Amino acid sequence: MILPIYTYGHPVLRKVAQDIPTDYPGLDQFISDMYETLDGSSGVGLAAPQVGKSIRVVVIDLDVLKEDFPEYAGFRHVFINSHIVEVDENSKKETMEEGCLSIPGLSENVARYSRIHVQYLDENLQPHDEWVEGYLARVMQHEFDHLEGVMYVDRVTPLRKQLIRNKLRGIMQGKFHCNYRVKAAHK
């Protein structure tokens, strides 16, 4: 089932998401619904708070980028109870343009570390403790930020934040257009 994506201004997007027990009811169906929602919105990642649940579940599908990033062909993963343990502060911080399904029609340059240490459970509830690099590290930081109640616009420069303030206010008021199902903050 395609779930509505909550847009900028919804309180659930600002909550710190909670770890879930391994016997969380309906987890397999929820993950399936998250993938269907992600596929229907042409995104590369989706965090549970974006569909109204303040739990630590993220789905990432980088297969859609395989022409630009052949190393991600077939990459489609679930991250449960995921946490960034540390960032490699010696790694290069790279600035790239980011967008977000919860902030339709807007994108901004965001600086992120190119290497991070993460812990999570996969879809089989197997634990992982690993260092991740490159574009996947960027996507994970973006999605895992959602689990901390942080959005990419919180990471832009103060000047850019000031310049996009009216656009963000418009999104909060439901003044936007997108081609996927949403739950706007004003409703």
Side-chain angles (χ1 to χ4, degrees):
M1 170 175 59
I2 294 181
L3 305 168
I5 295 175
Y6 286 54
T7 58
Y8 185 85
H10 261 284
V12 71
L13 295 173
R14 294 306 188 170
K15 289 182 180 177
V16 176
Q18 300 300 307
D19 281 350
I20 60 171
T22 54
D23 62 349
Y24 186 82
L27 180 60
D28 288 341
Q29 183 60 52
F30 180 64
I31 291 169
S32 176
D33 291 346
M34 284 187 68
Y35 273 129
E36 191 174 343
T37 302
L38 182 62
D39 293 344
S41 59
S42 301
V44 296
L46 186 66
Q50 292 180 272
V51 292
K53 289 198 179 283
S54 191
I55 58 175
R56 297 188 84 85
V57 177
V58 166
V59 296
I60 295 177
D61 181 357
L62 296 184
D63 184 65
V64 296
L65 304 174
K66 64 187 167 200
E67 287 191 24
D68 294 327
F69 299 97
E71 65 271 28
Y72 296 128
F75 186 96
R76 193 168 161 96
H77 289 282
V78 177
F79 302 88
I80 300 166
N81 295 343
S82 48
H83 295 271
I84 295 175
V85 179
E86 64 183 307
V87 296
D88 181 354
E89 293 184 6
N90 296 320
S91 71
K92 186 174 148 189
K93 241 186 168 184
E94 296 178 353
T95 300
M96 287 181 69
E97 190 172 18
E98 289 186 19
C100 180
L101 297 172
S102 292
I103 307 176
L106 191 63
S107 60
E108 290 293 326
N109 286 324
V110 179
R112 297 212 187 256
Y113 288 99
S114 60
R115 187 169 182 259
I116 59 172
H117 179 198
V118 296
Q119 293 177 339
Y120 63 92
L121 301 176
D122 63 22
E123 62 275 6
N124 298 313
L125 303 175
Q126 296 302 304
H128 294 263
D129 184 332
E130 58 196 36
W131 284 91
V132 179
E133 299 181 28
Y135 192 73
L136 176 58
R138 167 172 293 280
V139 175
M140 288 174 109
Q141 287 171 84
H142 177 108
E143 297 306 330
F144 293 5
D145 268 357
H146 279 297
L147 304 178
E148 301 299 330
V150 175
M151 300 184 79
Y152 83 88
V153 292
D154 301 329
R155 299 199 179 278
V156 300
T157 65
L159 176 60
R160 285 302 307 161
K161 183 88 177 219
Q162 184 69 24
L163 292 171
I164 62 174
R165 188 182 68 207
N166 287 337
K167 289 180 181 178
L168 292 172
R169 188 178 300 121
I171 291 169
M172 288 175 62
Q173 295 169 349
K175 297 176 183 171
F176 61 86
H177 174 74
C178 61
N179 295 324
Y180 47 88
R181 204 170 145 214
V182 297
K183 185 167 176 76
H186 76 286
K187 292 186 178 181

